[in-house]
Amino acid sequence: MMQILTFLSFTILVAVISYFATRNTEESSSDGYFLGGRSLTAGVIAGSLLLTNLSTEQIVGLNGSSYQSGLSVMVWETLAAIAMVLTAMFLLPRYLKGGLTTVPGFLAKRFDVTTKTLTSVLFLSGYVVVLLPVILYSGSLAVSGMFNVPELLGVTHTQSIWICVWGIGIIGSIYAVFGGLKAVAVSDSINAIGLLAGGILIPIFGLMLIGDGNIIDGLNIITTSHPEKFKSMGGPTDPVPFYTIFTGMMLVQLFYWGTNQQIIQRALGAKNLKEGQKGLLLGSFIKILGPIIVVLPGIIAFHIFDGKLENPDSAYPMLVNKVLPDAFVGFFAAVLFGAILSSFNSVLNSSVTLFGIDIYKEHINKDAEEKTVVKYGKMFGIVLAIAAMFIAPLIANAGSLFAYLQEINGIYSIPILTIIVVGYFTKRVPAIAAKVGLISGCLLYIISQFFMQPYFVNSAIDEAKAKGITDVAELALVKAQAYPHFLDVMAILFVLNVVIMLVIGKIKPRETDFVQEYTQQVDIKPWKHVKSAGIGICIIVIVIYAYFA
């Protein structure tokens, strides 16, 4: 009962603060609704970025991966800091110079409206089929585990997941669809502080449990008992082999932090370039602490539960229940619930933005007033949320949660990143090249991962078994060597699509050079310390990674 009361009290408090912080904000216009009126400051952007990313698909999924594979999966967090630096220094100035509301909006100016629409449809498809369901499922797994919902309500585990999915989905939809980006950003900033504090308490209490009240003793015990778990360089059978850092990993990070509408819309809502850059760099610096929250608890859970958990993705919620006092569980569940809502709200808000501006306004009703655009965007968001709520419980059969999310995202992430990169760094590549790049990128990745990979992997495993190989570790190595890692496939297809676009540009170039105009909607004077701060953050990341290697 104490857990539930604490949870409800904190959740209601955040909602009330967010309401009063935004009730006088004019959000009748599409700019006010979608971008918070371009008024977000560095602190709000940083907190909102972190909480949007630091949600249950990260916390539950990555801790589940570290439970299985150890510290090597921290690369998903550490390299994110470098990607955020690159976004702040190179991409954000260009976005704000063009006065962009959405990332596909740039593609309309650089290529044509059809390219923008195709990109928006790809984003929306990925959101409804992959991202929203993963957020809902991982959030439900966490809430159900922390409050022991099956026992509390007398239902099965599967039924508890359905209940939590629809509860989170309905509350999140109300928040995102009717609150707009500024309401989401304000609540994010409050919850980010609580999540960082609570997230750090989990490994502290876990190490204290292992070390009989002494954190240092607990750390010594866990590092000496499982030295194989504390290596940042992943082997060939790990989820992230070391060499993939130099192939597809950085591409994935650049897409996520630099071009993904769900994330970059926070920086697009900055009051000026200076605040946007400071927000991104502040977020990247805090991101360095990420492994303490999203990787270390998984290793602690492996030690405490002797590696015997049936579902690795349940490691984090079970650890929270095991190590935190009841009152703390309620508080942490509240901020984690806020993080779940943040990611869900963020994706839903970006979906509403993409549909309202890039599809409804562009193709359905070009003369629509801004209030009408917002209205139909909200209606679309509700439909999208309901569809995601039906899909989410089915992810239970998809295997490793985080691996599923990253691999499926490749269907649309690399093609979109390709055309944006080519669009910015060339002047004569035509619109037809972008369309070919999008379609070929999606189709080739689908053929690779859903047809070729299963064929080669199954053939290799059957051949190994026919030779009498039965050892689990040896079969895992055979599987890893049978086909390139999905990050390698992403890198190969990125290069191939770039070449295809450049060849088309050579054969049939644009008639005139593309020149990006400064719309003067936002002050684009950069922060004077952006270069030194960015270089410093990159050095810290490299040193930390090298130390654990």
Side-chain angles (χ1 to χ4, degrees):
M1 182 60 70
M2 176 64 74
Q3 296 176 0
I4 296 174
L5 287 175
T6 308
F7 168 78
L8 291 175
S9 299
F10 189 81
T11 303
I12 292 170
L13 177 63
V14 172
V16 170
I17 293 174
S18 301
Y19 168 75
F20 281 106
T22 58
R23 65 174 183 168
N24 293 322
T25 302
E26 177 58 46
E27 290 194 345
S28 60
S29 71
S30 58
D31 180 68
Y33 177 82
F34 296 132
L35 294 178
R38 293 195 189 274
S39 62
L40 304 185
T41 59
V44 172
I45 292 168
S48 190
L49 280 169
L50 287 169
L51 201 63
T52 298
N53 170 252
L54 195 60
S55 187
T56 45
E57 75 273 16
Q58 296 285 329
I59 297 176
V60 173
L62 262 182
N63 275 305
S65 294
S66 67
Y67 176 90
Q68 292 179 297
S69 306
L71 201 62
S72 62
V73 297
M74 79 173 188
V75 67
W76 290 109
E77 288 294 295
T78 52
L79 248 65
I82 296 178
M84 292 170 78
V85 169
L86 294 175
T87 300
M89 295 176 66
F90 298 107
L91 288 177
L92 187 60
R94 290 169 170 80
Y95 290 154
L96 295 185
K97 180 180 179 181
L100 297 182
T101 305
T102 66
V103 172
F106 159 72
L107 299 175
K109 297 177 182 178
R110 173 60 180 86
F111 297 113
D112 61 12
V113 172
T114 304
T115 303
K116 178 185 76 168
T117 303
L118 285 173
T119 305
S120 296
V121 169
L122 273 179
F123 269 125
L124 292 171
S125 301
Y127 289 165
V128 71
V129 175
V130 184
L131 198 49
L132 282 173
V134 166
I135 291 168
L136 287 173
Y137 173 72
S138 60
S140 300
L141 199 64
V143 171
S144 178
M146 282 188 287
F147 286 119
N148 198 2
V149 173
E151 184 179 318
L152 185 68
L153 300 180
V155 296
T156 65
H157 173 73
T158 302
Q159 289 171 333
S160 74
I161 294 298
W162 277 95
I163 292 169
C164 292
V165 161
W166 281 83
I168 293 169
I170 291 170
I171 295 171
S173 300
I174 292 170
Y175 221 107
V177 172
F178 298 103
L181 182 59
K182 190 164 185 179
V184 174
V186 171
S187 63
D188 283 358
S189 302
I190 301 168
N191 278 310
I193 298 170
L195 186 62
L196 287 172
I200 292 172
L201 283 178
I202 303 302
I204 289 176
F205 278 108
L207 292 173
M208 288 175 65
L209 178 64
I210 295 171
D212 291 327
N214 191 303
I215 297 175
I216 302 300
D217 288 347
L219 190 60
N220 287 334
I221 290 171
I222 197 173
T223 52
T224 53
S225 300
H226 312 285
E228 75 284 357
K229 295 285 187 182
F230 287 88
K231 295 179 180 179
S232 61
M233 294 176 62
T237 59
D238 283 322
V240 187
F242 175 71
Y243 67 87
T244 58
I245 295 174
F246 307 102
T247 56
M249 174 60 76
M250 200 63 221
L251 296 175
V252 172
Q253 298 284 9
L254 280 174
F255 166 79
Y256 186 81
W257 293 102
T259 66
N260 190 350
Q261 180 69 25
Q262 170 211 3
I263 292 294
I264 201 63
Q265 67 178 356
R266 302 296 204 259
L268 293 180
K271 63 191 302 184
N272 52 49
L273 176 59
K274 179 181 177 181
E275 292 296 313
Q277 289 180 325
K278 287 195 296 183
L280 280 166
L281 292 176
L282 176 59
S284 69
F285 181 76
I286 301 174
K287 198 71 178 165
I288 296 171
L289 299 173
I292 297 174
I293 298 174
V294 299
V295 177
L296 182 57
I299 302 174
I300 294 172
F302 181 85
H303 179 88
I304 290 176
F305 299 114
D306 296 322
K308 295 179 180 178
L309 293 180
E310 186 176 337
N311 181 6
D313 288 327
S314 67
Y316 193 77
M318 289 190 68
L319 181 67
V320 172
N321 243 336
K322 179 79 173 178
V323 303
L324 281 188
D326 285 349
F328 278 74
V329 171
F331 164 75
F332 188 67
V335 294
L336 191 61
F337 184 71
I340 298 165
L341 291 183
S342 172
S343 283
F344 184 77
N345 295 345
S346 178
V347 178
L348 203 56
N349 186 273
S350 64
S351 301
V352 170
T353 305
L354 289 171
F355 177 81
I357 295 176
D358 293 347
I359 295 178
Y360 182 81
K361 176 74 173 176
E362 191 70 53
H363 298 284
I364 299 174
N365 188 356
K366 293 185 177 181
D367 299 323
E369 296 180 354
E370 290 181 326
K371 287 184 179 180
T372 305
V373 174
V374 172
K375 173 187 173 183
Y376 282 95
K378 289 177 178 180
M379 291 172 62
F380 175 79
I382 293 171
V383 173
L384 207 66
I386 293 172
M389 284 182 252
F390 277 108
I391 295 171
L394 306 179
I395 294 177
N397 303 317
S400 174
L401 185 65
F402 198 76
Y404 167 81
L405 173 64
Q406 299 303 332
E407 185 169 2
I408 300 299
N409 273 345
I411 295 173
Y412 67 96
S413 62
I414 298 304
I416 291 174
L417 178 65
T418 303
I419 64 171
I420 289 175
V421 169
V422 173
Y424 269 123
F425 288 97
T426 65
K427 296 181 178 180
R428 285 294 185 103
V429 172
I432 185 64
K435 297 184 186 72
V436 171
L438 281 175
I439 296 171
S440 65
C442 294
L443 289 179
L444 290 174
Y445 189 81
I446 290 171
I447 292 170
S448 169
Q449 298 310 107
F450 295 100
F451 296 96
M452 294 177 65
Q453 183 197 47
Y455 172 78
F456 283 104
V457 169
N458 291 334
S459 298
I461 291 176
D462 290 341
E463 185 179 342
K465 288 181 178 179
K467 293 179 179 179
I469 298 175
T470 57
D471 181 71
V472 175
E474 290 183 21
L475 287 175
L477 185 60
V478 169
K479 181 180 179 181
Q481 294 175 340
Y483 196 80
H485 193 276
F486 75 88
L487 289 171
D488 295 334
V489 173
M490 288 180 178
I492 293 168
L493 293 182
F494 176 79
V495 173
L496 179 60
N497 280 324
V498 168
V499 171
I500 290 173
M501 291 184 68
L502 292 178
V503 169
I504 294 174
K506 190 72 174 177
I507 296 172
K508 191 178 180 181
R510 282 170 53 113
E511 295 182 357
T512 58
D513 288 354
F514 168 74
V515 179
Q516 186 181 23
E517 298 180 358
Y518 176 29
T519 63
Q520 298 186 348
Q521 293 183 28
V522 183
D523 180 5
I524 59 170
K525 181 180 179 181
W527 183 40
K528 62 180 180 181
H529 300 300
V530 65
K531 290 184 180 179
S532 56
I535 292 171
I537 290 167
C538 292
I539 291 173
I540 293 172
V541 169
I542 294 170
V543 169
I544 290 173
Y545 196 84
Y547 174 78
F548 285 105

